[in-house]
Amino acid sequence: MQADTIFALASAAGRAGVQVIRISGPAAGPTLLALAGTLPRPRMARLAGLTDPATGELFDKALLLWFPGPASFTGEDVAELHLHGGRAVLNAATSALTHLGLRVAEPGEFSRRAFENGKLDLTEAEAIADLVDAETAAQRRQALRQMEGALGQLYEGWRHRLTRALAHLEADIDFPEEDLPGGLSDAVRPVVLTLVEELSAHLADQGRGERLRDGISIAILGAPNAGKSSLMNAIARRDVAIVSNQAGTTRDVIEVQLDLGGYPVLLADTAGLRDAADQVESEGIRRALDRAAKADLKLLVFDGLSDPDPATLALADGDALLVMNKADQPGATPPLSAQPVLQVSARTGDGVPALLQALTDEVSRRYAPSGAPALTRARHRAALEECRENLQRALSAPLPELAAEDVRLAARALGRITGRVDVEELLDVIFRDFCIGK
C-alpha cells in the first residue's frame, strides 16, 4: 500500500453543477473527519458541511462517499467529495486538502495504484483510459469489453496453458528416461502447436481493434475538379475544404473526424491526381498517393461528365468504393467498371445519404466485434508476436532444455501484457497518458 494520500478532480474542469474530488490513501478517512467531522457509512452518501481546518471557515456543503479498502477502486481507503461546481469552492477544497498533507495525484495514479494493489490488470487499466477517450459507440463498446476483463482473461488463459506445458518439460528434464526423444515431449507439442495457431488467428485481425481505438482511415482520391473537396464538405456537413473551379486547389491532405454509424473515422481529402504543374503540387500528389496506400478504405471520385482518369482507376481494388460525382448534371454517365458505382451530387447532396450508408455498411462489415476480444494496442501485438516466435522456435528445439527456455520466454511475453511479470519499466509509459483523476 502507498504511504502518501493523493487527491484530484475526477470530473471535468470548469464551471458545473457538481464537481467531484477523489481521495485515495491511508489518510482518506482522517481527511473526511477533519473536513466534515463525520465518516459516512461505507458506500452510503451523506450530506455534510466542509470546514477548512486551517481557518475554521465553512466552504461548502457537499455529499461525502466513503469506500474503505480493500473494497475500493484503488484497493486503498478512498473518499469522494461531491462539491458545488464553482471555482472558488474547488480552490478552497484544494487548499484545505493540501494543508492536511495530501498531494495532487499524477496522471493515471489512481489506476496505477489499482493495478499495483491487484484490483486491475494492465489491459483493464488501459481500457479505462480508452473508455475516457471514447468518442463513438463502437469505441465505448470495445473499451467496456476490455475493461470487463475479456482480453486479459484470454491472454492469462494462454499463459496458464504454457505454464502447465513448461511444468511437463521441466519434469522431463529433471526425471529423464533413456529412450526419451530430444526437444518437446509428446505431451507438450500438441499444446504448443494449438497455441501457435490460436495466436496466429488472433494476430491476423487486420488491426481491427487498433482501428476502432485510433480511427478508421478513409481517403478521398481522384482527378482535379472531380468534386472531392465538395464531397468532403457534404459528408462532414460543414466547410472543411476550400472549393474552387481552379484545378489543383487542394495541395495538402485535409482531415476531419467523423462518427460513422458509431465507428470512428478519419476522412481525408487529397490533392488531385494528374501530371503536376509545379513542385508544390507534385508534393501534394505524392502525399495523396501515400495516404491512398495507408488508407483502410478509399473513395475514388470521378466526374460524371468526363471519362475516368487512368491514375484514379489504377487505385481501384478491394478497399475502394467508386463514386461518380455530378450525377445531377445532364449527360452524366457512370464509368464502365466491374465494381458498383455510387452516384452522388456533392452540390445538391443527392446520393450522399446512400454513400454514407454504403460506407457505414463496409466499415461495420470489417470492424464489427467478433467472438474473440480484439487487439487494441501496439504493445499487445508486439508481445504476442514475440510469444509466437518463441513457441515456433520451441517446436524445432533439439534439446528439452532449449525448448523449455523458449516456452518460458513465451509465457513471460504474455505475462507482460497483463502485468503479471517484468513490467516495472512499462508502467510510466502506460500510465503517463491517463487524465488526472483516473
Side-chain angles (χ1 to χ4, degrees), residues 13 27 79 107 132 151 156 183 295-296 299 319 415 419 423:
V132 171
L151 201 61
E156 278 299 290
D296 301 306
L299 290 182
D319 293 328
V423 294

Side-chain angles (χ1 to χ4, degrees), residues 36 51 58 62 92 158 187 199 223 247 251 256 295 352 354 373 381 399:
T51 301
L58 180 73
W158 286 342
L199 282 163
R251 298 295 184 95
V256 64
V352 173
R381 188 173 295 277
L399 296 172

